[in-house]
Amino acid sequence: MTSALLPSDVLDLARRVVEENRSASRKVALAESCTGGLVSAAITEIAGSSTVLDRGFVTYSNEAKMELLGVSQDIIETFGAVSIACVWAMAQGALANSDADVAVAISGVAGPGGGTATKPVGTVVFARAIRGYGSEPEGELKSFGDLGRAEIRRQATLCALELLLP
C-alpha cells in the first residue's frame, strides 16, 4: 500500500500551497472541470489543509457550471466551456459561493477525444480571482499538447496549484 495517492511533485507543491496560504491567513476555493477534483485532492492530502481549503466545486458539465457557479449560458454558447471567459466566471462564482480569499478555476480538453482545430486536446484554461481585487479578469490559456489524459490533468493540477500561491 502506498502512503500517497498523488505524485511527489504535486504533493510538494500542494504542501507549499497549504503552508504559504496558512502563513498568509488565506482561504482558497477551487472550481474544477477537466481536473475533476484533483487540485482539491492534492491539497487535502496535506495534513492541516482544513485551515486553508474552504471548498471545491467539481463542475464537469456545462449545467453544473451554470447552476453551481452562476456561469451564464451566453458565455458558454459564445466562448465555450474551455475559454478565459468561462473560467473567469467560474472563479468569480467560486468566490461568491465561498468564504475564500482566492479562487482558481480550471477547464480544458484532456482527451483523448473532444478536441477541435481551435481547441485541440491539451488545451487548458485557468483563472484566478482574489476577493476585493477589482473585476479585471486574470486568466491564462496553456497548450500542453496531446500528452495523454493523465499527464494533461497532472500538468493542469500543477498550474492550478501555482496560481494558489500567495
Side-chain angles (χ1 to χ4, degrees):
M1 187 153 165
T2 179
S3 63
L5 291 171
L6 300 168
S8 61
D9 58 343
V10 171
L11 293 177
D12 291 343
L13 188 50
R15 187 170 290 104
R16 278 188 58 207
V17 166
V18 170
E19 290 169 358
E20 292 182 27
N21 279 288
R22 182 185 305 129
S23 293
S25 299
R26 285 190 350 166
K27 290 270 192 185
V28 303
L30 282 303
E32 300 184 62
S33 188
C34 69
T35 49
L38 281 175
V39 184
S40 298
I43 292 171
T44 59
E45 272 291 289
I46 308 305
S49 60
S50 61
T51 62
V52 171
L53 181 63
D54 181 64
R55 66 195 71 193
F57 300 89
V58 177
T59 55
Y60 207 72
S61 71
N62 291 341
E63 291 77 15
K65 290 171 182 65
M66 293 184 287
E67 291 170 16
L68 297 175
L69 300 173
V71 177
S72 79
Q73 187 170 355
D74 287 346
I75 286 175
I76 292 172
E77 288 175 357
T78 304
F79 303 103
V82 180
S83 67
I84 297 293
C86 184
V87 290
W88 175 245
M90 289 168 65
Q92 290 292 322
L95 271 187
N97 291 289
S98 73
D99 292 323
D101 302 295
V102 61
V104 167
I106 311 106
S107 187
V109 185
T116 66
T118 56
K119 295 176 187 174
V121 170
T123 302
V124 182
V125 288
F126 304 86
R128 175 175 54 196
I130 301 172
R131 192 173 302 282
Y133 280 88
S135 60
E136 197 60 36
E138 182 180 348
E140 182 175 3
L141 182 143
K142 294 252 187 193
S143 184
F144 296 115
D146 193 353
L147 304 172
R149 186 173 181 81
E151 182 61 15
I152 290 166
R153 294 175 76 223
R154 186 183 76 78
Q155 291 292 332
T157 298
L158 289 168
C159 286
L161 287 167
E162 287 279 346
L163 289 170
L164 287 170
L165 292 170

